[in-house]
Amino acid sequence: MLKKFYYLFGFFLLVVLLLKVDFRYYKEIIKQVSILKFSLISCLCFPSLFLKAYRWKVLMSVQNIRYSFWDSFLMYQSSTYIGTFTPGRIGEVWKSFYLKKDHSLGKSLVSTLLDRFFDMFFLICFGLLGIFLFSSLFEKTILFFIIFLILFGAIIIAVKYFGKELFRKIFYFFLPKKYQEKWHLSIKDFFSGIRQYKMRHYLFSFFITSLVWFIFYLSVYLFSLEIGINQISFLFFSSALAVGSLISLLPFSVLGIGTRDAALIIMFSSFGVRKELIIAVSMYVLFLTLVSSVVGFFSLMKKPIIKNG
């Protein structure tokens, strides 16, 4: 029964935080923000959307899956829209169903999961840096993330070198026998697809991922300067956002509402930043997420998945 109300926790947390802020101060913040600057800063999110689609297109091309950039962009943003409203944004793997029309599910999942992996890997690495930078606030959490990162790397190595047989045994243990033959081919295609990628593909994709997040962090940082937060360096600021992004993936809120706000307040308050300004930054992150979702919604209307089913 409680599972149905998990998402309400974030809204409840946000309400608690808002009860402690001065809304009259928000009026002063709004007055000092230039509409022109706000618009220009916000437009920085659009290059990131195109870069993400380009990264996925490159990953697909390694498997000889060919789509135009425009089609790749529409499929990617459609899945981003679906992922916005799912726990941990797991719905983003929905783009594999576009590919399933011409390819096996196993082959379709390879580029989709790798694309998601690069974002998660970057957030974990950069978020870990953020936790070290704010070590006085996260002493107990550091050990947890170190262990998590080690286990994460161990899983990747295990899957690459030993994973096929292990994964097959575990998967078939839970899969009903009548579906095992059909899924056998998909699993085989999945691991065959993984082996097609070389180190240069991983490095290039990680470079694009770093560029995507740099642009996003830059946009939020410029907004923070615009509202008067100038006591935090870009490195500290962006690493804190990475921690906030990781926390927002927890299934306790919608779009990180409440949980991200609380995490940023804990970190930025140590620099003497007012709660009102911190929540304004968090709301701006939410705004950029919603802008991306709007693009995704129209992409889904333009290229609905059901037609490709």
Side-chain angles (χ1 to χ4, degrees), residues 48-248:
S48 294
L49 301 183
F50 288 105
L51 282 171
K52 282 188 173 184
Y54 175 69
R55 178 185 62 191
W56 185 47
K57 187 178 186 303
V58 170
L59 289 172
M60 287 191 295
S61 67
V62 176
Q63 295 181 273
N64 202 31
I65 300 177
R66 309 290 180 181
Y67 287 94
S68 67
F69 177 77
W70 179 239
D71 280 338
S72 300
F73 177 81
L74 292 177
M75 291 187 290
Y76 195 99
Q77 299 310 320
S78 297
S79 300
T80 298
Y81 169 72
I82 296 172
T84 300
F85 305 101
T86 55
R89 302 183 71 91
I90 194 172
E92 289 188 9
V93 301
W94 197 257
K95 51 183 172 283
S96 61
F97 287 94
Y98 281 110
L99 312 186
K100 191 173 175 289
K101 176 183 177 182
D102 302 309
H103 307 279
S104 70
L105 180 59
K107 185 174 182 178
S108 302
L109 280 171
V110 175
S111 62
T112 302
L113 293 179
L114 279 177
D115 176 82
R116 188 69 183 132
F117 161 78
F118 283 110
D119 280 327
M120 291 301 300
F121 184 72
F122 179 88
L123 286 176
I124 290 172
C125 291
F126 208 60
L128 183 61
L129 172 63
I131 289 174
F132 272 109
L133 292 175
F134 294 92
S135 58
S136 60
L137 303 175
F138 293 95
E139 290 178 355
K140 294 181 180 180
T141 315
I142 290 178
L143 181 60
F144 169 78
F145 267 89
I146 291 175
I147 295 173
F148 181 82
L149 193 62
I150 293 173
L151 290 176
F152 192 67
I155 290 172
I156 294 170
I157 294 173
V159 168
K160 184 171 181 60
Y161 294 101
F162 314 104
K164 184 176 180 180
E165 187 62 25
L166 178 62
F167 180 83
R168 186 184 67 82
K169 289 181 178 179
I170 295 174
F171 190 79
Y172 284 164
F173 179 79
F174 293 100
L175 188 69
K177 289 185 178 180
K178 63 180 179 179
Y179 298 117
Q180 288 183 6
E181 183 177 350
K182 178 180 178 181
W183 275 91
H184 174 74
L185 294 176
S186 293
I187 295 172
K188 184 178 179 181
D189 288 343
F190 178 81
F191 283 100
S192 295
I194 288 290
R195 287 195 293 269
Q196 291 180 270
Y197 293 88
K198 308 299 181 184
M199 182 56 67
R200 66 178 183 275
H201 301 132
Y202 292 121
L203 292 176
F204 180 76
S205 297
F206 188 75
F207 169 74
I208 296 297
T209 303
S210 301
L211 188 58
V212 166
W213 285 103
F214 170 77
I215 294 172
F216 174 76
Y217 294 149
L218 180 62
S219 175
V220 183
Y221 184 68
L222 291 175
F223 171 79
S224 72
L225 293 177
E226 186 66 17
I227 63 176
I229 302 177
N230 50 24
Q231 62 267 58
I232 307 177
S233 69
F234 179 72
L235 178 61
F236 274 84
F237 188 90
S238 53
S239 61
L241 287 179
V243 175
S245 296
L246 285 173
I247 293 175
S248 69

Side-chain angles (χ1 to χ4, degrees), residues 33-56:
V33 175
S34 165
I35 300 299
L36 177 60
K37 286 185 178 180
F38 178 84
S39 301
L40 291 174
I41 292 171
S42 300
C43 284
L44 282 175
C45 73
F46 292 107
S48 294
L49 301 183
F50 288 105
L51 282 171
K52 282 188 173 184
Y54 175 69
R55 178 185 62 191
W56 185 47

